[in-house]
Amino acid sequence: MRSHLLCWAVLLISPLATSSTTFAELFSPDGPQKLDIPFELADGACWSGSGTIFVPDVKAKKLLAIQTNGKELKSWSPLKEPIGISGTTYSGGVIYAADNRGHRIITWTPNRPKSRAIRTLTTFADDQRPNDLAYHPSGEVFVTMTGQGQVFAVDATGQHRVIAEGISRPNGIAISPSGNAVYVSSVSTGAIWKLTQVADQWTKSRFAQLDETPDGFRGDGMTCDRGGNVYCTGADSVTVFSPTGERIDKLSLPHRPINVVLGGADARELFISTFDGLYRIGVNAYAVSPQPDTAKNADTGASVVAKTELKSWFDVPYYQIDGREMLMDIHRPNDDENRPAIVLVHGGGWLKGDKKKFRALAFRLAEAGYVVANTEYRLGYEAKFPAALHDCNAATKFIRSNAQKYGLNPNQIAAAGGSAGGHIVALMGAGDKETSLQPPNFLSEISSELDAVIVMAGPTEIETGSVAERSRKAKTGSNAYYWLGGTTSEVPDQYALADVINKIDGTMPPTLFITGSKDNPARDAKAIEQMKSKGLVTKQVIHEEATHGHWNRPDWIMTVVEDIDAFLQAELPKP
């Protein structure tokens, strides 16, 4: 049985780790490109979480849905009723919009044909005109009242209250991924204010400052990326600030920008509303995915709705670097029993994906009796390898150090991942002695060792084999090329460090390989052979007729959960 060092004093006094990060070039060198879609005046758009963005035309009093997938743009007007919308936000399949002239916040559900009618969430006084708004993880919508110098919070019932005032003409608003910070821009002074909550009170402090231009400051619409960086429009540009308020980039526009939103099919495009229409530009950053639509697939195994009562903690900050918070969702059965835990790592080729994509699997595993830490990590366009390993090993340390709080057994922690996430958890298991894979200056007294590993169709051969070969032949078409920083001949040490096969030793924990027969079961062969030669516990399960990613599909998800549960029941150390 593995024994893991726990120092409970560290739990009480150890801060989140910090370290220096070098920002990559944020904006595409191609520059902003104007979309060939006519607007009278585009304003605050929102992103659906896929390829669709919704852009209000405030002067034309309409809302445009724009499909950004592929090379051909498609746009249509989904609303029949003319409404002068100044800003929108999106969550759970619902669009929230500021009807500026109507003194109200409205809601609309574009993906539910039977409930597409516009509804009024709340109405304000006749002299109050809501401007920009943003959805907070608490379930409230935060909205600026420019004329009154105030910020309001509106709850799900439509009740509203003032949370900040005394801001000179507040306009744009953005919320950090964890919800711990709310940013508000000033039209007249260019100041960006940061609102933070202590108990039930919100306090404001100066966060950053826009440059003054001959046309003034004109602080306007804002957004945050997944790293917590703040994008704020001004009189002639979009300025980007790190979560600590450091200016990290500035994008000049040919016409005055009004608002910004991150999104697109790959979550890596910035859309900019200007007085001349809508522009977009690629970014080396990721949009914050909206909460999934809980009304979809509610009766299937892949539903993002819990089927039994669970305890859940969403967007828990578990590790921090340069102000960038890494977040996890934690789910467990609603009881007081100490449970085995699973660190769940999503896939996406090391360059894409989001923990929300694994929410259904996280719920099903929690319903099977586990404490599940559904974990985000830095992807390749934000930070190169081994940043993702730092994050995921930090996730293991975090839940082990918080075993008492979340009711888990610190000596029964497994990691499960799919595709690229499968490679990451395999490397966490095999490379536990590699100090360069551990998070720097973070809970050094706490072990990140795993007690079991579940690899779902993840590559383990990186230094050689198909991954290395693609990096040499395809180069820019290879995910490993971007994630590892070059080809295997250009950065051989990176490929060697990322390789699982060359790290399998006598301490590799019991490992289950799950794959579909229509995927590539042979990819597991070398790792299984290596483990068996060392007398280690390993097993491969091949699901007939299943394809890549089947663990997230309604017809397979419960079979995958049952296989994982059976393996962990047999192989985890006994309490």
Side-chain angles (χ1 to χ4, degrees):
M1 178 185 297
R2 289 184 170 213
S3 176
H4 304 290
L5 177 63
L6 280 168
C7 179
W8 294 107
V10 172
L11 172 61
L12 299 176
I13 65 174
S14 178
L16 292 173
T18 60
S19 179
S20 61
T21 296
T22 301
F23 286 95
E25 193 72 30
L26 183 60
F27 294 111
S28 166
D30 296 334
Q33 307 296 316
K34 185 180 177 182
L35 276 66
D36 188 21
I37 297 172
F39 285 93
E40 290 186 37
L41 183 62
D43 210 330
C46 62
W47 178 49
S48 69
S50 58
T52 304
I53 60 169
F54 296 93
V55 189
D57 189 331
V58 63
K59 284 190 175 180
K61 296 185 178 180
K62 64 182 180 181
L63 182 71
L64 284 181
I66 301 175
Q67 188 71 27
T68 63
N69 288 333
K71 295 181 179 179
E72 184 180 354
L73 290 171
K74 294 181 181 179
S75 66
W76 65 97
S77 300
L79 293 184
K80 305 302 181 185
E81 179 181 345
I83 299 176
I85 298 170
S86 58
T88 60
T89 189
Y90 186 97
S91 182
V94 178
I95 292 175
Y96 300 80
D99 178 5
N100 184 272
R101 294 188 178 276
H103 314 280
R104 61 177 180 159
I105 304 295
I106 61 173
T107 65
W108 179 63
T109 53
N111 295 323
R112 303 179 204 172
K114 293 183 179 179
S115 56
R116 281 185 174 172
I118 293 170
R119 300 181 181 183
T120 298
L121 175 62
T122 194
T123 302
F124 299 100
D126 289 345
D127 63 341
Q128 294 174 326
R129 290 188 172 185
N131 192 340
D132 279 350
L133 72 174
Y135 189 88
H136 191 270
S138 66
E140 294 182 303
V141 174
F142 287 14
V143 58
T144 54
M145 292 287 182
T146 304
Q148 286 71 31
Q150 296 174 322
V151 179
F152 278 70
V154 183
D155 68 20
T157 69
Q159 297 296 310
H160 56 258
R161 69 190 193 283
V162 176
I163 65 166
E165 51 192 344
I167 299 175
S168 178
R169 294 183 59 77
N171 192 338
I173 188 166
I175 295 175
S176 69
S178 68
N180 289 338
V182 178
Y183 303 97
V184 180
S185 67
S186 166
V187 175
S188 54
T189 69
I192 300 175
W193 293 90
K194 181 179 181 179
L195 310 181
T196 53
Q197 187 177 25
V198 178
D200 293 330
Q201 297 297 315
W202 287 86
T203 61
K204 69 177 189 290
S205 59
R206 289 287 287 262
F207 171 73
Q209 177 66 45
L210 296 174
D211 293 332
E212 188 172 13
T213 75
D215 292 326
F217 294 101
R218 297 191 180 278
D220 210 326
M222 307 172 71
T223 193
C224 283
D225 65 26
R226 201 178 300 177
N229 301 311
V230 181
Y231 300 63
C232 185
T233 57
D236 59 5
S237 58
V238 177
T239 306
V240 188
F241 301 92
S242 76
T244 58
E246 174 192 4
R247 181 179 302 197
I248 60 174
D249 216 330
K250 187 174 181 178
L251 178 70
S252 295
L253 276 301
H255 298 270
R256 178 185 157 194
I258 304 170
N259 221 312
V260 284
V261 66
L262 282 155
D266 62 357
R268 291 182 45 248
E269 289 185 293
L270 184 71
F271 294 87
I272 310 155
S273 301
T274 78
F275 272 80
D276 184 45
L278 188 68
Y279 287 75
R280 70 175 175 183
I281 186 170
V283 291
N284 283 321
Y286 295 87
V288 178
S289 297
Q291 295 297 330
D293 186 350
T294 57
K296 297 172 68 176
N297 301 320
D299 296 322
T300 72
S303 168
V304 292
V305 178
K307 297 182 181 301
T308 62
E309 189 174 358
L310 299 174
K311 291 181 182 177
S312 292
W313 298 261
F314 291 97
D315 294 321
V316 176
Y318 70 86
Y319 176 54
Q320 186 180 108
I321 183 164
D322 284 347
R324 199 285 197 218
E325 294 178 313
M326 255 58 72
L327 307 178
M328 64 169 59
D329 298 337
I330 302 174
H331 312 286
R332 60 154 295 132
N334 188 25
D335 57 34
D336 296 323
E337 182 181 342
N338 275 347
R339 301 277 186 168
I342 299 173
V343 176
L344 190 60
V345 182
H346 69 81
W350 306 298
L351 304 179
K352 299 187 294 184
D354 182 87
K355 64 183 172 65
K356 295 183 181 74
K357 303 296 185 184
F358 264 33
R359 183 169 293 178
L361 183 58
F363 278 163
R364 304 294 86 82
L365 288 167
E367 290 160 358
Y370 296 89
V371 178
V372 181
N374 188 15
T375 305
E376 78 166 11
Y377 55 93
R378 285 170 290 170
L379 299 172
Y381 287 112
E382 179 184 354
K384 302 299 183 190
F385 172 83
L389 270 296
H390 294 168
D391 301 344
C392 293
N393 279 320
T396 305
K397 287 171 171 275
F398 176 84
I399 63 167
R400 181 166 279 130
S401 68
N402 285 275
Q404 216 167 30
K405 178 177 180 178
Y406 296 111
L408 61 97
N409 186 329
N411 294 313
Q412 290 184 310
I413 298 180
S419 195
H423 164 256
I424 289 172
V425 300
L427 189 56
M428 290 165 67
D432 58 305
K433 301 297 190 296
E434 291 277 356
T435 57
S436 56
L437 298 179
Q438 296 298 319
N441 308 316
F442 181 70
L443 296 178
S444 56
E445 297 87 349
I446 306 296
S447 170
S448 66
E449 289 184 6
L450 297 169
D451 301 295
V453 171
I454 297 95
V455 181
M456 297 182 291
T460 54
E461 193 178 358
I462 304 297
E463 190 175 20
T464 55
S466 62
V467 171
E469 186 66 21
R470 281 196 300 272
S471 83
R472 288 191 293 269
K473 287 185 176 180
K475 288 195 175 181
T476 56
S478 160
N479 286 15
Y481 177 89
Y482 287 108
W483 191 51
L484 298 173
T487 67
T488 183
S489 57
E490 291 169 342
V491 287
D493 291 347
Q494 286 283 83
Y495 282 79
L497 184 60
D499 194 89
V500 175
I501 304 295
N502 66 22
K503 294 177 184 61
I504 293 175
D505 60 18
T507 66
M508 180 77 177
T511 302
L512 171 66
F513 294 89
I514 296 177
T515 188
S517 65
K518 290 187 174 181
D519 194 351
N520 178 22
R523 75 161 63 85
D524 302 330
K526 191 170 282 189
I528 292 171
E529 179 184 357
Q530 185 84 336
M531 289 189 68
K532 286 184 175 179
S533 71
K534 297 183 181 301
L536 301 170
V537 175
T538 185
K539 180 181 180 181
Q540 184 186 46
V541 172
I542 300 174
H543 293 142
E544 290 300 324
E545 300 300 310
T547 56
H548 195 72
H550 70 291
W551 48 85
N552 271 337
R553 297 187 182 120
D555 52 339
W556 279 108
I557 190 169
M558 292 311 302
T559 301
V560 172
V561 169
E562 289 165 4
D563 287 337
I564 292 173
D565 183 39
F567 184 78
L568 295 182
Q569 292 274 5
E571 302 301 340
L572 280 177
K574 302 307 176 188

